[in-house]
Amino acid sequence: MASATPPAPGRSSRLSDRGLAVAFTSPALLLLLAMSVFPLLWALYLSFTDYSATRGGTAQFLWFENYTAILTSPQVHQRALTTLIYVAGAVTLQTVLGFTIAYLISRRTHGRGLLTTLFLVPMMLSPVVVGLFWRFMLDAQFGVINSMLGSLGLGQVEWLTRQRTALISLILVDTWQWTPFIMLIALAGLTAVPKYLYEAAAIDRASQWFQFRTITLPLVWPLLLIAVLFRAIEAFRLFDLVYILTSGGPGVSTETLSFHVYKVAFLGFNTGTASAYGILMVLVVIVLTQLYLRYLNKLKED
């Protein structure tokens, strides 16, 4: 009768914990590399060429000509200024309104859950749906907003067809949709503030403004800054609302950098130049995010 040979000492026929971890995480890592890292590297390669999706033949290396043309273009400077105005206006307005609403809700004892749910409804909608919804409402002739203004005896406003009001309308629509995001994070921070701090301040007869300035705001401020970071990154790459509401018009008054990249890539078919735009935008976001995170770490240490 043949006897089973025992395994060698120190060896096991089963996979170790490290081997099992590698076996289970490898498919996800490979998928991540294929879906994110490879397109980024391919875009980096195309940014140094004159490649066009509609032109046959091999791409010719231009090295840094695409980057030089972008950084020295007055049109790019104008789009960057429009994007900066939009990001600063929208994020500032959303932060002020979101924190104010969260502070008022946190002071209520009844109906807090219902109010929070109602305020979160705009954030749950698709940006395309929001854009179409507000496009009909802001229509100069048949929109509900102008009808309400007319019933109050006020003149009609060309919200989306005038340069002065188009960008403001874009900021207001984005604020309507994404203020609940800031509100939700601020509400979580306000709920986490220890109650005994307010009780101690009340015993010392501290005013409401003193409690807000010395207790509430310092404890919620770091979490609020993280929400501002997320919203700033999201607003920097805005495309869908611009496409639905104004298509970059009137003229180029609402043409953000992301929408300009879309025009370069899919209307002008300058794939190499559009790739350079994308790489530069990624670098700007990375640099600004690192500076912002350093400020947050310093704030946390202090």
Side-chain angles (χ1 to χ4, degrees):
M1 297 178 61
S3 59
T5 303
R11 296 182 180 181
S12 176
S13 59
R14 295 178 298 177
L15 288 175
S16 62
D17 293 341
R18 184 181 181 86
L20 285 173
V22 172
F24 281 112
T25 58
S26 294
L29 290 176
L30 292 176
L31 182 63
L32 179 64
L33 291 174
M35 299 296 293
S36 60
V37 178
F38 173 74
L40 183 62
L41 295 178
W42 182 246
L44 180 62
Y45 163 74
L46 293 180
S47 66
F48 294 102
T49 67
D50 63 346
Y51 177 77
S52 176
T54 59
R55 187 178 65 244
T58 58
Q60 182 181 359
F61 261 93
L62 301 177
W63 297 106
F64 293 97
E65 291 185 15
N66 288 332
Y67 293 95
T68 304
I70 292 172
L71 295 176
T72 58
S73 173
Q75 295 180 353
V76 177
H77 298 165
Q78 182 180 1
R79 273 65 169 185
L81 180 60
T82 302
T83 305
L84 179 62
I85 294 173
Y86 166 77
V87 172
V91 174
T92 302
L93 193 58
Q94 292 165 22
T95 303
V96 173
L97 290 178
F99 182 77
T100 303
I101 295 172
Y103 182 73
L104 294 176
I105 291 178
S106 66
R107 298 176 63 87
R108 290 183 59 90
T109 56
H110 301 288
R112 180 185 301 181
L114 179 60
L115 286 175
T116 304
T117 304
L118 292 177
F119 277 112
L120 289 178
V121 170
M123 192 178 66
M124 300 177 186
L125 299 176
S126 171
V128 177
V129 175
V130 173
L132 291 173
F133 173 73
W134 279 97
R135 183 177 179 181
F136 290 125
M137 289 186 64
L138 295 175
D139 188 82
Q141 296 181 352
F142 309 105
V144 178
I145 304 298
N146 277 345
S147 298
M148 295 175 60
L149 293 177
S151 62
L152 295 175
L154 302 176
Q156 294 186 348
V157 180
E158 298 179 1
W159 297 99
L160 303 177
T161 55
R162 295 187 62 183
Q163 294 185 358
R164 293 183 179 181
T165 57
L167 187 59
I168 297 176
S169 302
L170 199 63
I171 292 174
L172 293 178
V173 172
D174 191 75
T175 300
W176 180 83
Q177 183 178 16
W178 291 110
T179 294
F181 176 78
I182 303 290
M183 182 209 70
L184 187 63
I185 296 181
L187 186 60
L190 290 169
T191 307
V193 176
K195 300 297 182 184
Y196 66 85
L197 296 177
Y198 296 109
E199 296 173 356
I203 293 175
D204 293 338
R205 297 182 179 180
S207 62
Q208 293 291 332
W209 169 247
F210 182 83
Q211 295 180 24
F212 175 80
R213 183 170 54 87
T214 59
I215 299 176
T216 304
L217 193 59
L219 293 179
V220 181
W221 185 247
L223 193 62
L224 196 62
L225 289 179
I226 295 176
V228 170
L229 175 63
F230 289 152
R231 278 304 306 139
I233 294 175
E234 186 71 20
F236 180 73
R237 61 187 188 89
L238 176 75
F239 169 77
D240 33 29
L241 280 182
V242 177
Y243 183 79
I244 297 297
L245 284 175
T246 62
S247 296
V252 293
S253 58
T254 59
E255 188 173 313
T256 58
L257 284 174
S258 297
F259 191 79
H260 183 63
V261 174
Y262 159 76
K263 291 176 63 177
V264 172
F266 298 102
L267 299 181
F269 298 104
N270 297 320
T271 312
T273 306
S275 300
Y277 271 108
I279 296 299
L280 286 175
M281 292 178 67
V282 169
L283 291 177
V284 168
V285 170
I286 290 175
V287 171
L288 294 180
T289 302
Q290 289 300 319
L291 295 176
Y292 197 85
L293 290 177
R294 287 186 180 182
Y295 170 73
L296 287 179
N297 292 331
K298 184 179 178 181
L299 186 66
K300 182 179 179 181
E301 293 175 358
D302 295 339

